[in-house]
Amino acid sequence: MPNFGLKIFYQDGPDVLLDSSCTMCCILGICWVGQRQTGIFVPDGYQYYMHLTNGSGYNIDFEVDEDGTNIWVCGAFDSRSYLDHNRQVILENGANAWGYGGDSGSGYNQLCIIIGYPIHNPASGFGISFTGQNNFFSINQTSLCAPVVFKGDITISAKDGWRPSNINPYLNFNNCAVFVYSEKQDLSIGIGYNRNIDEHVLFAHNTDGVKLGHDISIKVVVFAKQKIVNTQSKYGMRIYNASGEIVYDSTSGILINPQLFSFGSINLREFVNIPNIRRPMFIPTSIGGYASFDKYSGVTKQIGFASNGFSLAPSYINHENYKWTHPFNGKFTSNFPLMILDAENYFKF
């Protein structure tokens, strides 16, 4: 960060220099993957990011023939998006997508969250300005603002995983964005499905994608709409919009220096540094898939992430075994860019 700006002192984290690298996380809308026109519009002066619980992977389906019930790979999902001339988010399939979702597939039957954040704009009107650039000027709809509502250590249970409702009953993976930080390079962190509670949860996996048999501790930063979780306090600094509504409260965290990075050309378990990021935090998702079926058995995996504290690597998650399968072999890693944050902006090390 530069050596000018407005410094905010936090009791539970590092001091933050409020400068042009800081902006406000906003949840612009939630939609179903599979629909093309989302009805979600990105305001002028905003960048956007499409967050998916499962971004890429293979779908499977069940087929009944003379031999009984068989399992086969019926397609692959690899979601993309773009803005049309009205700045509406339009969903489309990426280069690795084919086939269809299937009865048990999750690729086309999931929610995606459109995250927006103001980028540098000429300073005028209301807001706060840094050397002629203003990230807080265009925030007018306070209902969209999604500050940090939690940051700290959490435990991923080997049995039940971890879910946002563990910290607040109003939170789930469909209404918040969870960034994770880990220094354990021999494990991967991804979102899986807990059938016992009928909900998506965080799970930790070994390098082959098999769920760990013991609990682990990691750090998380959770962004959610301030209408869901009240983050305002009686002290600190506030920024108001033209209508007198609070769009920023200094006691809550903000989006600092978000970076987009694609792992499409990175090999499995190849740890790479992220430009402008020292300790990378990522949103758990899948960025690819693996499937190997013969006539009698098979396995599917998704590709998530492992971290050694200073770099990230694609790594297997969600290992599933099957019997009585149709032969298929495939593997791919998407080039969809992921949003990465720096844990040093949120935690003291």
Side-chain angles (χ1 to χ4, degrees), residues 126-127 136 139-140 238-248:
F126 296 86
F136 291 89
I139 304 174
N140 289 312
R238 289 175 175 173
I239 298 175
Y240 295 82
N241 65 7
S243 300
E245 299 171 306
I246 299 171
V247 296
Y248 170 74

Side-chain angles (χ1 to χ4, degrees), residues 231-253:
T231 59
Q232 296 178 10
S233 71
K234 297 180 180 179
Y235 59 90
M237 185 190 75
R238 289 175 175 173
I239 298 175
Y240 295 82
N241 65 7
S243 300
E245 299 171 306
I246 299 171
V247 296
Y248 170 74
D249 187 300
S250 61
T251 59
S252 61

